[in-house]
Amino acid sequence: MAVDVEFRPATQEDLLHLLRNMRQADWDEVEAAAGDVRAALLDSARASLWVDACVIDGELACVFGVAPLRGLLGKQAAPWMLGTPWIDKNPSVLITESRKYLARMVGQYPHLINCVDARNKRSIRWLKWLGFTIHPAEPYGEAQLPFHLFEMKV
């Protein structure tokens, strides 16, 4: 059975829907890193060069983007993605489309870098599959919980 998949620029309504319906692992990760999940999501969206939404069968599955990092000659950026439980019900969409969006990111920024909560095993597996280098976990963020730095240089 085919699913209807739409990728489009994220709206303010998408961000608010994501806040109300975020996967627990993503919520826990953002909360551990930044404390205020709402402020962190809105700040990430504002700082991003682009922010897209993935809608599957009419339901918001995830929001993702890439935020340029300042002061580094414009060559580094932080990729990010936060999902709803809908993405876990349709993982093949993420697997199929993620390499295309990764190519878009590295086409603009040859060095992608961010952190992932060490508890978020599913995200770590996906990042490894995409080809990111996962560094050893170290205390990070508001909660000083173990996070892995992940990066890709092309």
Side-chain angles (χ1 to χ4, degrees), residues 101-110 112 154:
Y101 282 90
L102 179 61
R104 180 179 172 194
M105 289 179 191
V106 298
Q108 294 171 304
Y109 298 97
L112 300 176
V154 294

Side-chain angles (χ1 to χ4, degrees), residues 25 28-30 32 115-121 124 145-148:
D28 293 345
E29 178 174 284
V30 175
C115 293
V116 61
D117 190 331
R119 299 172 294 175
N120 199 338
K121 303 298 185 199
I124 293 167
L145 292 177
F147 274 68
H148 295 279

Side-chain angles (χ1 to χ4, degrees), residues 61-127:
C62 66
V63 175
F64 59 98
V66 62
L69 299 175
R70 295 186 183 154
L72 298 166
L73 303 174
K75 298 198 185 290
Q76 282 189 336
W80 59 273
M81 193 272 298
L82 299 168
T84 69
W86 199 251
I87 196 70
D88 293 334
K89 295 175 185 170
N90 298 276
S92 63
V93 172
L94 183 62
I95 289 168
T96 302
E97 297 293 328
S98 57
R99 284 211 168 127
K100 177 173 70 175
Y101 282 90
L102 179 61
R104 180 179 172 194
M105 289 179 191
V106 298
Q108 294 171 304
Y109 298 97
H111 187 189
L112 300 176
I113 189 166
N114 207 339
C115 293
V116 61
D117 190 331
R119 299 172 294 175
N120 199 338
K121 303 298 185 199
R122 178 174 277 176
S123 291
I124 293 167
R125 279 193 310 273
W126 174 63
L127 289 165

Side-chain angles (χ1 to χ4, degrees), residues 23-85:
R23 293 188 294 187
Q24 191 63 51
D26 288 348
W27 183 276
D28 293 345
E29 178 174 284
V30 175
E31 187 173 52
D36 185 336
V37 176
R38 183 178 195 280
L41 173 60
L42 297 178
D43 288 347
S44 291
R46 272 192 295 274
S48 293
L49 178 64
W50 50 265
V51 181
D52 282 354
C54 173
V55 178
I56 302 173
D57 289 338
E59 294 288 335
L60 181 69
C62 66
V63 175
F64 59 98
V66 62
L69 299 175
R70 295 186 183 154
L72 298 166
L73 303 174
K75 298 198 185 290
Q76 282 189 336
W80 59 273
M81 193 272 298
L82 299 168
T84 69

